[in-house]
mmCIF file of all heavy atoms in Angstrom:
data_model
loop_
_atom_site.group_PDB
_atom_site.id
_atom_site.type_symbol
_atom_site.label_atom_id
_atom_site.label_comp_id
_atom_site.label_asym_id
_atom_site.label_seq_id
_atom_site.Cartn_x
_atom_site.Cartn_y
_atom_site.Cartn_z
ATOM 1 N N ALA A 75 -12.628 -1.456 10.116
ATOM 2 C CA ALA A 75 -12.145 -0.999 11.386
ATOM 3 C C ALA A 75 -12.424 0.515 11.560
ATOM 4 O O ALA A 75 -12.551 1.211 10.595
ATOM 5 C CB ALA A 75 -10.643 -1.288 11.513
ATOM 6 N N ARG A 76 -12.505 0.928 12.830
ATOM 7 C CA ARG A 76 -12.774 2.347 13.162
ATOM 8 C C ARG A 76 -11.583 2.819 14.010
ATOM 9 O O ARG A 76 -11.087 2.184 14.898
ATOM 10 C CB ARG A 76 -14.093 2.437 13.874
ATOM 11 C CG ARG A 76 -14.489 3.890 14.187
ATOM 12 C CD ARG A 76 -15.927 3.952 14.704
ATOM 13 N NE ARG A 76 -16.866 3.395 13.734
ATOM 14 C CZ ARG A 76 -17.449 4.132 12.750
ATOM 15 N NH1 ARG A 76 -17.115 5.407 12.648
ATOM 16 N NH2 ARG A 76 -18.299 3.581 11.971
ATOM 17 N N TYR A 77 -11.212 4.073 13.687
ATOM 18 C CA TYR A 77 -10.092 4.671 14.378
ATOM 19 C C TYR A 77 -10.494 5.278 15.688
ATOM 20 O O TYR A 77 -11.544 6.003 15.817
ATOM 21 C CB TYR A 77 -9.486 5.821 13.497
ATOM 22 C CG TYR A 77 -8.243 6.490 14.163
ATOM 23 C CD1 TYR A 77 -7.082 5.739 14.345
ATOM 24 C CD2 TYR A 77 -8.343 7.775 14.475
ATOM 25 C CE1 TYR A 77 -5.987 6.382 14.892
ATOM 26 C CE2 TYR A 77 -7.227 8.449 15.069
ATOM 27 C CZ TYR A 77 -6.088 7.677 15.287
ATOM 28 O OH TYR A 77 -4.970 8.328 15.853
ATOM 29 N N ASP A 78 -9.779 4.935 16.744
ATOM 30 C CA ASP A 78 -9.973 5.431 18.113
ATOM 31 C C ASP A 78 -8.900 6.498 18.376
ATOM 32 O O ASP A 78 -7.745 6.177 18.603
ATOM 33 C CB ASP A 78 -9.912 4.294 19.111
ATOM 34 C CG ASP A 78 -10.199 4.763 20.501
ATOM 35 O OD1 ASP A 78 -10.107 5.939 20.835
ATOM 36 O OD2 ASP A 78 -10.614 3.843 21.344
ATOM 37 N N ALA A 79 -9.326 7.781 18.358
ATOM 38 C CA ALA A 79 -8.384 8.844 18.543
ATOM 39 C C ALA A 79 -7.746 8.789 19.935
ATOM 40 O O ALA A 79 -6.574 9.246 20.146
ATOM 41 C CB ALA A 79 -9.114 10.217 18.404
ATOM 42 N N GLY A 80 -8.441 8.256 20.911
ATOM 43 C CA GLY A 80 -7.921 8.149 22.260
ATOM 44 C C GLY A 80 -6.699 7.239 22.330
ATOM 45 O O GLY A 80 -5.725 7.592 23.016
ATOM 46 N N THR A 81 -6.783 6.120 21.709
ATOM 47 C CA THR A 81 -5.701 5.162 21.747
ATOM 48 C C THR A 81 -4.771 5.217 20.552
ATOM 49 O O THR A 81 -3.658 4.685 20.571
ATOM 50 C CB THR A 81 -6.271 3.693 21.792
ATOM 51 O OG1 THR A 81 -7.026 3.450 20.587
ATOM 52 C CG2 THR A 81 -7.225 3.563 23.017
ATOM 53 N N GLY A 82 -5.173 5.886 19.500
ATOM 54 C CA GLY A 82 -4.446 5.964 18.298
ATOM 55 C C GLY A 82 -4.447 4.678 17.479
ATOM 56 O O GLY A 82 -3.540 4.443 16.597
ATOM 57 N N LYS A 83 -5.393 3.812 17.766
ATOM 58 C CA LYS A 83 -5.427 2.503 17.150
ATOM 59 C C LYS A 83 -6.711 2.233 16.352
ATOM 60 O O LYS A 83 -7.714 2.939 16.656
ATOM 61 C CB LYS A 83 -5.171 1.351 18.136
ATOM 62 C CG LYS A 83 -3.828 1.425 18.818
ATOM 63 C CD LYS A 83 -3.642 0.277 19.789
ATOM 64 C CE LYS A 83 -2.336 0.304 20.448
ATOM 65 N NZ LYS A 83 -2.109 -0.801 21.440
ATOM 66 N N TRP A 84 -6.702 1.283 15.449
ATOM 67 C CA TRP A 84 -7.837 0.892 14.677
ATOM 68 C C TRP A 84 -8.523 -0.339 15.395
ATOM 69 O O TRP A 84 -7.829 -1.282 15.683
ATOM 70 C CB TRP A 84 -7.573 0.553 13.233
ATOM 71 C CG TRP A 84 -7.125 1.743 12.498
ATOM 72 C CD1 TRP A 84 -5.818 2.207 12.408
ATOM 73 C CD2 TRP A 84 -7.844 2.601 11.731
ATOM 74 N NE1 TRP A 84 -5.792 3.348 11.562
ATOM 75 C CE2 TRP A 84 -7.027 3.609 11.162
ATOM 76 C CE3 TRP A 84 -9.264 2.636 11.407
ATOM 77 C CZ2 TRP A 84 -7.478 4.612 10.335
ATOM 78 C CZ3 TRP A 84 -9.709 3.662 10.529
ATOM 79 C CH2 TRP A 84 -8.859 4.635 10.070
ATOM 80 N N ALA A 85 -9.861 -0.271 15.657
ATOM 81 C CA ALA A 85 -10.548 -1.398 16.237
ATOM 82 C C ALA A 85 -11.501 -1.980 15.279
ATOM 83 O O ALA A 85 -12.286 -1.298 14.561
ATOM 84 C CB ALA A 85 -11.295 -0.890 17.454
ATOM 85 N N GLY A 86 -11.450 -3.311 15.075
ATOM 86 C CA GLY A 86 -12.292 -4.024 14.163
ATOM 87 C C GLY A 86 -13.745 -3.955 14.508
ATOM 88 O O GLY A 86 -14.105 -3.850 15.722
ATOM 89 N N GLU A 87 -14.643 -3.873 13.493
ATOM 90 C CA GLU A 87 -16.051 -3.879 13.688
ATOM 91 C C GLU A 87 -16.743 -4.580 12.574
ATOM 92 O O GLU A 87 -16.077 -4.931 11.545
ATOM 93 C CB GLU A 87 -16.582 -2.433 13.820
ATOM 94 C CG GLU A 87 -16.394 -1.546 12.653
ATOM 95 C CD GLU A 87 -16.873 -0.132 12.841
ATOM 96 O OE1 GLU A 87 -16.999 0.350 13.970
ATOM 97 O OE2 GLU A 87 -17.224 0.503 11.853
ATOM 98 N N ALA A 88 -18.004 -4.837 12.613
ATOM 99 C CA ALA A 88 -18.768 -5.486 11.576
ATOM 100 C C ALA A 88 -18.736 -4.754 10.284
ATOM 101 O O ALA A 88 -19.034 -3.522 10.293
ATOM 102 C CB ALA A 88 -20.170 -5.773 12.007
ATOM 103 N N PRO A 89 -18.369 -5.369 9.164
ATOM 104 C CA PRO A 89 -18.326 -4.692 7.852
ATOM 105 C C PRO A 89 -19.730 -4.165 7.461
ATOM 106 O O PRO A 89 -20.740 -4.840 7.712
ATOM 107 C CB PRO A 89 -17.850 -5.761 6.919
ATOM 108 C CG PRO A 89 -17.182 -6.715 7.742
ATOM 109 C CD PRO A 89 -17.943 -6.741 9.058
ATOM 110 N N GLN A 90 -19.785 -2.940 6.926
ATOM 111 C CA GLN A 90 -21.004 -2.384 6.430
ATOM 112 C C GLN A 90 -20.895 -2.262 4.899
ATOM 113 O O GLN A 90 -19.943 -1.649 4.406
ATOM 114 C CB GLN A 90 -21.244 -0.993 6.973
ATOM 115 C CG GLN A 90 -21.429 -1.052 8.528
ATOM 116 C CD GLN A 90 -21.577 0.363 9.106
ATOM 117 O OE1 GLN A 90 -21.603 1.386 8.348
ATOM 118 N NE2 GLN A 90 -21.785 0.439 10.413
ATOM 119 N N GLN A 91 -21.779 -2.984 4.141
ATOM 120 C CA GLN A 91 -21.727 -2.993 2.727
ATOM 121 C C GLN A 91 -22.235 -1.635 2.165
ATOM 122 O O GLN A 91 -23.069 -1.032 2.760
ATOM 123 C CB GLN A 91 -22.579 -4.150 2.183
ATOM 124 C CG GLN A 91 -22.102 -5.503 2.692
ATOM 125 C CD GLN A 91 -20.644 -5.787 2.441
ATOM 126 O OE1 GLN A 91 -20.146 -5.458 1.352
ATOM 127 N NE2 GLN A 91 -19.984 -6.399 3.359
ATOM 128 N N HIS A 92 -21.771 -1.314 1.040
ATOM 129 C CA HIS A 92 -22.199 -0.092 0.332
ATOM 130 C C HIS A 92 -23.466 -0.312 -0.510
ATOM 131 O O HIS A 92 -23.477 -1.311 -1.250
ATOM 132 C CB HIS A 92 -21.119 0.432 -0.577
ATOM 133 C CG HIS A 92 -19.790 0.703 0.167
ATOM 134 N ND1 HIS A 92 -18.725 1.222 -0.455
ATOM 135 C CD2 HIS A 92 -19.493 0.574 1.478
ATOM 136 C CE1 HIS A 92 -17.744 1.407 0.433
ATOM 137 N NE2 HIS A 92 -18.203 1.008 1.588
ATOM 138 N N PRO A 93 -24.459 0.523 -0.443
ATOM 139 C CA PRO A 93 -25.677 0.322 -1.205
ATOM 140 C C PRO A 93 -25.322 0.199 -2.642
ATOM 141 O O PRO A 93 -24.573 1.051 -3.192
ATOM 142 C CB PRO A 93 -26.515 1.598 -0.915
ATOM 143 C CG PRO A 93 -26.008 2.043 0.424
ATOM 144 C CD PRO A 93 -24.539 1.670 0.432
ATOM 145 N N GLY A 94 -25.866 -0.790 -3.369
ATOM 146 C CA GLY A 94 -25.644 -0.916 -4.797
ATOM 147 C C GLY A 94 -24.200 -1.388 -5.116
ATOM 148 O O GLY A 94 -23.859 -1.310 -6.290
#
Side-chain angles (χ1 to χ4, degrees):
R76 186 170 298 274
Y77 181 67
D78 185 337
T81 63
K83 296 181 179 180
W84 293 87
E87 62 181 25
Q90 297 178 0
Q91 302 303 320
H92 301 182

